[in-house]
Amino acid sequence: MLPILRLAFTKNKILSTKETAIIIAKEFNLSICDLNTTVSSSKQKLFNNRINWALTYLKKAELIESTSWGKYRITARGKSLIKTDPTDVNLKFLKNYKEFNDFQNKKGTRKNTNL
């Protein structure tokens, strides 16, 4: 999640999910094979799944906000966090935010801490 938050901070503009995926894939030098790997339980691309979940989690922690469908920007809270130069932003870290915990505690919400 940290690379996405850093990207939003650096660009300081409204970003699309698609644009984010392209930039992050290039940043990590992902191969076509990497990008085409699917989630075992569906035909969805694993990379896109992880990008979408990361964006969802960052939104729920109010580090980014939706501006319209498939578009987002960093919030003041997200900017403040990036300025502290965090080493990682993961689910454990996001538990520092009440709004994220409220989301996690809703019935049916995934609680996978491996992201």
Side-chain angles (χ1 to χ4, degrees):
M1 287 180 262
L2 185 56
I4 292 173
L5 199 56
R6 283 187 178 139
L7 172 64
F9 180 80
T10 302
K11 295 287 186 180
N12 198 28
K13 67 174 189 167
I14 294 173
L15 294 164
S16 70
T17 303
K18 184 176 182 178
E19 178 182 10
T20 298
I22 291 167
I23 293 168
I24 297 296
K26 286 180 183 176
E27 180 179 336
F28 286 94
N29 297 313
L30 298 179
S31 69
I32 297 296
C33 183
D34 294 329
L35 296 173
N36 286 327
T37 300
T38 58
V39 176
S40 61
S41 61
S42 72
K43 292 183 180 181
Q44 184 181 22
K45 306 285 188 211
L46 181 63
F47 177 72
N48 292 336
N49 175 279
R50 295 302 186 254
I51 291 287
N52 288 326
W53 274 112
L55 290 169
T56 296
Y57 293 148
L58 292 170
K59 286 177 200 169
K60 296 303 180 181
E62 298 183 4
L63 298 170
I64 63 173
E65 63 187 357
S66 290
T67 58
S68 62
W69 190 87
K71 297 190 185 270
Y72 71 95
R73 69 175 160 223
I74 194 166
T75 62
R77 178 185 273 185
K79 289 176 183 178
S80 293
L81 174 59
I82 287 297
K83 289 177 182 176
T84 68
D85 197 26
T87 57
D88 197 8
V89 174
N90 55 28
L91 292 180
K92 184 178 178 181
F93 180 87
L94 293 180
K95 290 183 180 191
N96 292 310
Y97 299 100
K98 178 192 178 307
E99 299 83 0
F100 182 76
N101 288 319
D102 291 346
F103 163 72
Q104 285 275 283
N105 292 329
K106 286 183 182 177
K107 185 177 180 180
T109 302
R110 294 181 183 197
K111 293 185 180 183
N112 183 352
T113 57
N114 293 328
L115 295 178

